[in-house]
Amino acid sequence: MDIKTVLKAEAKSLGFADCRIAKADPAPHFDSYLQWIKQGCHAGMAYMGRPDAILARKTPQNLLSGCQTVICLGLAYRPNPPKYSEYENPVGRIAAYATYPDYHELIRTKLEQLASFLKLLAPNSQVLVCVDTSPLLEKTYAQAAGLGWIGRNSLLSHPYYGSWMLIGELLTDLELEPDAPLGENICKDCQRCQMACPTKALLPNKGVNAQRCLSYLSIEHRGPIPMEFREKLGTRLFGCDTCQIVCPLNSKDIEPNPVFKPVLDADQDLISILKMDAQAFKAAFKGTPVLRAKLEGLKRNAALCLGNSGEAKVLPILKRLQREESNPVVSEALQWAIHHLEQQNSEREHP
């Protein structure tokens, strides 16, 4: 069998859902990326707009000299059903991917194993492992390779796994025959994700304005969440899956991945999180993407979620926690939650 066939079989054995090949042409849609940066849609993620990062994303050859091929791989996962009835206190929801171990480490390890295998097949080849922290416009290559379509929510959607799939790449100077892209984008005239987005963060060109995105605001954003988005956060504790949940491509009941298993409940007790210190936070979420929000960010989110819960019974504990809280960002979020719950309670009593 040829290298491409053997490589794809090895990728499957490592737990990847799919493996497809793209030619290492200059990045498709690079101009759209430049416009996205120019408009400030990357919000506080300044690293995405650095001149060196922009140059690196222009072509894979700027990451690996002589690069000929982008090997695109997908790791499938599936969301866990809610367990609201199992909790006494109000709960907040964690985005599905974050209930699993940090995918960066798992995908990197699997890609390194696949890279070693490729080096055995072609000893003189050069190979570079890329995860989504690498300056590569990876979704555009994945689409060119036929791994999926880029949907209106900017996510890559596989024909079978939908957008419940994380991606990574191998860059190599080995020339492999590229796979064909898929046919017409299955999104067509469907606009469910755009209509469902609580903050209208999805742009007409399949981009996302991070300044309005609840996933960005609840994970990457430091400091207070802008007032206009607090109610829209609802009970999203970490991330937002709304645009994925409503997507028709995500309606299949995907089989669990034997090498990628969840380690957290999707629903988390909000009061418990507000009581956490740094040690408890690290212990509870060790090895998961939730650590990305940091303790201050997660407690800020938990406070806002409680404010949106409609549960007036938590007011006494919120007031006590607010008096004891030393972090100004968390304290302000608690104060907002108290005021919001009291206002809602008053409106119910005096309609």
Side-chain angles (χ1 to χ4, degrees):
M1 291 187 288
D2 61 18
I3 289 178
K4 178 177 170 180
T5 302
V6 175
L7 185 71
K8 287 189 173 188
E10 180 67 11
K12 286 278 190 179
S13 73
L14 288 171
F16 288 108
D18 204 348
C19 172
R20 308 277 292 185
I21 310 297
K23 189 176 179 182
D25 290 328
H29 312 306
F30 182 71
D31 289 343
S32 296
Y33 165 67
L34 291 179
Q35 187 66 21
W36 184 77
I37 294 293
K38 184 178 180 180
Q39 292 173 346
C41 292
H42 57 313
M45 297 179 287
Y47 60 89
M48 300 193 73
R50 290 198 318 261
D52 60 326
I54 290 174
L55 180 63
R57 287 182 170 89
K58 190 171 185 179
T59 176
Q61 285 79 24
N62 289 339
L63 292 175
L64 178 69
S65 179
C67 183
Q68 296 288 324
T69 301
V70 182
I71 302 167
C72 305
L73 299 113
L75 184 74
Y77 68 103
R78 68 174 186 174
N80 300 307
K83 301 177 181 178
Y84 302 125
S85 61
E86 296 182 15
Y87 296 87
E88 181 179 350
N89 295 321
V91 296
R93 186 78 169 166
I94 292 178
Y97 83 91
T99 65
Y100 290 76
D102 190 334
Y103 66 92
H104 296 92
E105 297 304 318
L106 179 63
I107 289 182
R108 188 186 304 279
T109 298
K110 296 294 181 182
L111 288 174
E112 287 172 349
Q113 292 173 338
L114 191 62
S116 297
F117 182 77
L118 181 57
K119 292 282 286 184
L120 290 176
L121 298 176
N124 295 323
S125 63
Q126 297 296 313
V127 187
L128 178 68
V129 168
C130 294
V131 293
D132 69 3
T133 52
S134 302
L136 179 74
L137 296 181
E138 58 178 358
K139 287 181 290 187
T140 64
Y141 290 102
Q143 180 170 262
L147 192 63
W149 303 272
I150 297 177
R152 293 182 187 274
N153 60 0
S154 91
L155 299 175
L156 187 82
S157 286
H158 187 272
Y160 177 74
Y161 297 101
S163 60
W164 303 121
M165 193 171 70
L166 305 162
I167 60 178
E169 299 78 34
L170 294 180
L171 306 185
T172 179
D173 60 357
L174 190 66
E175 189 170 2
L176 299 176
E177 180 186 0
D179 290 309
L182 300 174
E184 183 181 9
N185 193 319
I186 202 166
C187 290
K188 295 182 180 178
D189 297 325
C190 178
Q191 298 180 21
R192 293 187 192 182
C193 59
Q194 289 178 311
M195 294 172 64
C197 179
T199 60
K200 306 307 175 189
L202 303 183
L203 303 172
N205 64 352
K206 300 181 181 179
V208 176
N209 183 354
Q211 296 180 74
R212 303 186 64 85
C213 177
L214 294 177
S215 185
Y216 166 79
L217 290 168
S218 63
I219 300 172
E220 301 290 339
H221 178 70
R222 305 295 174 231
I225 289 179
M227 288 289 180
E228 65 179 303
F229 303 123
R230 294 188 178 190
E231 285 189 61
K232 296 181 185 301
L233 184 69
T235 55
R236 297 172 180 85
L237 176 64
F238 181 95
C240 176
D241 281 336
T242 298
C243 65
Q244 298 194 81
I245 291 169
V246 301
C247 178
L249 283 174
N250 289 337
S251 59
K252 300 183 183 71
D253 185 17
I254 300 169
E255 288 296 316
N257 187 325
V259 302
F260 195 42
K261 300 178 180 179
V263 292
L264 292 176
D265 287 338
D267 303 302
Q268 296 287 321
D269 186 305
L270 295 169
I271 298 294
S272 296
I273 286 171
L274 283 169
K275 292 179 178 179
M276 284 182 176
D277 58 16
Q279 185 176 1
F281 170 67
K282 290 177 182 178
F285 301 109
K286 180 181 179 181
T288 74
V290 177
L291 293 178
R292 180 74 179 174
K294 303 187 181 303
L295 178 58
E296 175 189 289
L298 199 68
K299 291 177 76 171
R300 171 202 64 193
N301 298 347
L304 299 182
C305 288
L306 281 165
N308 290 326
S309 70
E311 298 282 355
K313 67 180 182 181
V314 302
L315 276 169
I317 192 167
L318 284 180
K319 290 178 180 179
R320 178 173 63 80
L321 289 169
Q322 199 274 331
R323 289 192 299 269
E324 297 171 354
E325 182 58 56
S326 60
N327 184 287
V329 171
V330 179
S331 178
E332 188 276 332
L334 284 164
Q335 187 59 53
W336 180 88
I338 292 166
H339 175 75
H340 193 58
L341 282 173
E342 287 180 336
Q343 187 176 42
Q344 288 181 320
N345 196 44
S346 175
E347 289 172 355
R348 281 195 294 268
E349 292 178 353
H350 308 287

